[in-house]
Amino acid sequence: MKYAVVSAAVLATLCALPAAAEVPQPKDTPYPGTIKLNVNATDLGHRIFRVHETLPVTPGPLTLLYPAWIPGHHSPTGPIDKVAGISIQANGKTLNWERDDGNVYAFHVEVPEGTKTLDVDFKFLSPQSPAQGRVVMTPEMLNLQWNTVALYPAGHYSRQIQVQPSVTLPKGWHFATALEGAQVESNHVRFNAIDFENLVDSPMFAGKYYKQVDLNPGAKTPVRLNVFADRAKDLDITKEGLAAHRNLIQQMYKVYGAHHYNHYDFLLALTDKLGGIGLEHHRSSENSAGEDYFTDWKKSWLGRDLLAHEFNHSWDGKYRRPAKLWTPTYNQTKRDHGLWVYEGQTQYWGYVFATRAGLWSHKQSMDMMARLAATYDRGRPGMQWRNIWDTTNDPTIAQRAPLPYRNYQMSEDYYSGGQLIWFAVDAKLRQLSHDQHSLDDFAKAFFGMDNGAWNINTYTFDDVVDTLNGIEKYDWRSFLNSRLKGHVNLSKSFNDQGWKLIYNDKASAAIKAIEQRYKATDFVYSLGFMAGNDGSLSDVLWDSPAFNAGLAPGMTIIAVNGTQYSGETLKDAVKEATTSKQPIELLVKDFNRYLTINIDYHGGLQYPHLVRIKDKPDYLSQVLKAR
């Protein structure tokens, strides 16, 4: 055997590295002292956040953690791959650190004797393009999420670690955040100290063009809409738009009867540069929309349930939280099974409150719910082998990555599938009580306590069942489990509400708005796909006419019956096929091959709509009616 020769210099370096260590388990004890965290966010050209932390320490082994499990993401998505240039110093001397050999989010360092503070520096290299992740810094605005720019000490609950945050912004920029006590000197902003759990829960938007609007004038507890835009002219808010957002606050207060914050700040970016987002927090939410969100109010309705959804999370998800979705630190595994309430019921209320507030018209809401119903009537063949309960694992399984056959694989269907379960619950409550009780009563009983409290109040499946039984006695456990863990047609929830799903050849306003938004044409419930304006296919409905004929995601339609592809050309071909026995002939490109695929389909265009069931009470209209 030949032995390697190790130089004295290399040996000295190896000896200076910290010994292999376990990541300390968190304890509910205070971390001694306050961490000072400063972020320099002025390097817009390179999109780099430069971080400096000063940590009070005692000599001995120390493990620093980078947050991995980010609330609202429901998965270990902390962008550790964007962290670079880590340097740890004690008394002006650089220390060696070592990444944990089993946990890439943990860094071990040995604190020398006589050291009272460590200086930690690193850079967060934010994405330069959407291909690298969500863009969070542009020439006009930025989104500072504290979990991306902080290392915190292991061994303590996050709520037991005090941090005083500060940020240096580009000159002349405005900012908004739920953090309190802002002290501004030139372009440097320092905030009051806050525990690390709530620091991560208090992100910042900043930018050149900014407007703040009071959504609850005269109230003791402020609710503010903070709008940032790529252009100053996009900040013009119509009276109709302002009224609808103010109505949203009042409609939610009327249902819950209590709120869980000492102030609330909507952070809204109107942009086509900053990456899209809808992320909940206890006292704020991060949201984005198109530049015309306010300035073209009549046409921009499609995504206007977003703020209703994220605001609802202050009650459902942040204050009341599934027990296994709360962990003492951001580096422990969260269990996502409660997401059918956390996200599913919030999806229900997002639609309902958007309609009650006037963010959506009644017709727009009905069109969206018809599309929702069709998804689980014909658009989720995956329900044959999976159930909604199992999809709560999807944030970890797929981490929101694109899927080859999303309709068959399913992905996070606890959102929309869970939404339909709650429509069924509402209808059953109304039926049992002869229309005296509804999901509004559950919401008030389950979420509407302890006005002003913004701690975390966890719950279990049994708590949900017990609350429902407190409103109307029933076998709620079986009712919920048959839909959560069974393989039922969830679209039948609307039958219980007094409406049924039909299909005809008339595209609804929702279908047209979606086609316009995504630059595509909808053939999902006829041929079995949505095609981009260039003919590209991103998903093909499993076992549909197109799938059975040989079409697959990734192909591009070049021609229809010998004519160059366009959405209208294919629509015409589908219409003509209703009176012809000839198949629809498609020329498609698959990698570098050109194929002719014949689809033997003669059923015409198919779009979903909801229509009344005459012999049943119309519960759904009552659900959507403003309080």
Side-chain angles (χ1 to χ4, degrees), residues 111-367:
V111 180
E113 289 293 331
T115 302
K116 294 184 178 180
T117 60
L118 286 185
D119 290 302
V120 179
D121 293 273
F122 68 89
K123 301 168 188 68
F124 177 64
L125 308 179
S126 74
Q128 307 294 296
S129 72
Q132 299 167 1
R134 177 174 166 263
V135 172
V136 295
M137 182 182 279
T138 76
E140 291 80 25
M141 65 179 72
L142 63 82
N143 179 191
L144 173 57
Q145 298 174 316
W146 299 101
N147 58 279
T148 66
V149 292
L151 294 170
Y152 71 103
H156 300 267
Y157 282 22
S158 299
R159 68 189 182 197
Q160 292 281 16
I161 302 170
Q162 289 292 304
V163 182
Q164 183 171 60
S166 62
V167 58
T168 305
L169 296 168
K171 290 183 179 179
W173 278 31
H174 310 275
F175 66 90
T177 175
L179 295 176
E180 298 171 342
Q183 301 176 44
V184 182
E185 296 181 12
S186 183
N187 58 330
H188 184 76
V189 189
R190 184 175 64 182
F191 300 95
N192 290 347
I194 190 171
D195 64 90
F196 190 69
E197 182 171 74
N198 282 299
L199 173 64
V200 169
D201 200 42
S202 305
M204 171 189 286
F205 275 18
K208 287 182 180 181
Y209 308 113
Y210 168 67
K211 176 181 284 188
Q212 185 184 86
V213 179
D214 187 349
L215 294 184
N216 198 12
K220 292 182 179 179
T221 304
V223 179
R224 298 174 287 244
L225 176 63
N226 300 277
V227 188
F228 296 83
D230 289 338
R231 304 172 301 183
K233 67 179 184 179
D234 294 325
L235 296 173
D236 292 336
I237 301 176
T238 64
K239 290 183 180 180
E240 186 181 5
L242 177 58
H245 286 84
R246 284 179 169 168
N247 288 342
L248 175 64
I249 313 307
Q250 300 310 315
Q251 288 297 315
M252 294 182 75
Y253 282 1
K254 287 178 180 180
V255 168
Y256 291 119
H259 56 75
H260 302 295
Y261 42 79
N262 58 350
H263 56 82
Y264 191 93
D265 284 270
F266 289 97
L267 310 178
L268 175 62
L270 307 181
T271 178
D272 63 0
K273 297 179 183 178
L274 197 76
I277 191 169
L279 187 60
E280 68 273 11
H281 303 283
H282 217 138
R283 300 184 297 166
S284 64
S285 58
E286 298 167 275
N287 311 279
S288 62
E291 295 172 310
D292 63 351
Y293 182 81
F294 286 115
T295 56
D296 197 354
W297 184 253
K298 291 184 178 181
K299 291 184 179 180
S300 66
W301 67 271
L302 184 61
R304 286 210 294 261
D305 61 317
L306 175 62
L307 269 63
H309 180 106
E310 303 305 343
F311 189 35
N312 191 78
H313 272 314
S314 183
W315 288 265
D316 183 358
K318 303 308 293 185
Y319 173 63
R320 298 233 59 187
R321 197 173 305 187
K324 293 183 179 180
L325 266 171
W326 179 82
T327 55
T329 77
Y330 291 115
N331 289 73
Q332 293 170 289
T333 301
K334 299 180 187 295
R335 311 296 180 185
D336 287 341
H337 283 150
L339 288 174
W340 67 280
V341 182
Y342 181 129
E343 295 289 6
Q345 192 176 142
T346 293
Q347 191 75 355
Y348 168 93
W349 287 117
Y351 276 35
V352 170
F353 284 133
T355 311
R356 291 182 186 179
L359 292 164
W360 279 352
S361 70
H362 184 276
K363 179 64 167 60
Q364 289 165 344
S365 182
M366 295 297 290
D367 285 349

Side-chain angles (χ1 to χ4, degrees), residues 400-476:
R400 297 181 174 171
L403 299 171
Y405 289 98
R406 187 182 187 279
N407 64 85
Y408 187 64
Q409 294 168 274
M410 302 177 61
S411 177
E412 300 192 50
D413 281 72
Y414 53 82
Y415 275 91
S416 50
Q419 179 182 10
L420 285 171
I421 291 172
W422 288 106
F423 272 110
V425 171
D426 176 85
K428 180 56 70 174
L429 285 170
R430 292 175 187 274
Q431 178 191 357
L432 292 169
S433 67
H434 303 289
D435 208 14
Q436 297 302 302
H437 292 138
S438 69
L439 199 63
D440 288 42
D441 298 289
F442 173 87
K444 189 165 189 176
F446 202 70
F447 301 107
M449 69 283 286
D450 298 332
N451 188 44
W454 50 285
N455 57 324
I456 296 172
N457 183 354
T458 61
Y459 64 87
T460 65
F461 185 90
D462 287 345
D463 293 325
V464 175
V465 170
D466 290 346
T467 302
L468 286 168
N469 275 318
I471 301 167
E472 288 292 336
K473 291 288 185 182
Y474 190 65
D475 185 5
W476 289 108

Side-chain angles (χ1 to χ4, degrees), residues 51 95 303 399 413 534 590:
V51 183
L95 305 181
Q399 297 194 10
D413 281 72
D534 60 353
D590 183 24

Side-chain angles (χ1 to χ4, degrees), residues 4-59:
V5 177
V6 180
S7 70
V10 171
L11 183 61
T13 300
L14 292 173
C15 291
L17 289 171
E22 296 293 327
V23 176
Q25 290 300 303
K27 297 179 180 179
D28 198 5
T29 56
Y31 182 75
T34 298
I35 297 170
K36 293 184 178 180
L37 168 63
N38 178 251
V39 179
N40 188 312
T42 61
D43 193 350
L44 302 178
H46 295 107
R47 300 182 192 170
I48 296 172
F49 294 84
R50 301 176 190 274
V51 183
H52 178 78
E53 293 182 82
T54 303
L55 291 82
V57 293
T58 55

Side-chain angles (χ1 to χ4, degrees), residues 550-601:
L551 257 68
M555 292 181 177
T556 300
I557 303 172
I558 304 299
V560 180
N561 292 337
T563 301
Q564 181 176 326
Y565 172 81
S566 72
E568 288 302 315
T569 300
L570 185 50
K571 281 184 180 180
D572 290 341
V574 172
K575 292 174 185 176
E576 291 167 5
T578 61
T579 57
S580 168
K581 294 183 180 180
Q582 296 300 313
I584 299 169
E585 182 184 278
L586 301 180
L587 176 65
V588 302
K589 184 179 181 182
D590 183 24
F591 293 101
N592 61 348
R593 299 187 308 153
Y594 289 85
L595 308 172
T596 298
I597 292 180
N598 293 313
I599 304 179
D600 194 15
Y601 173 77

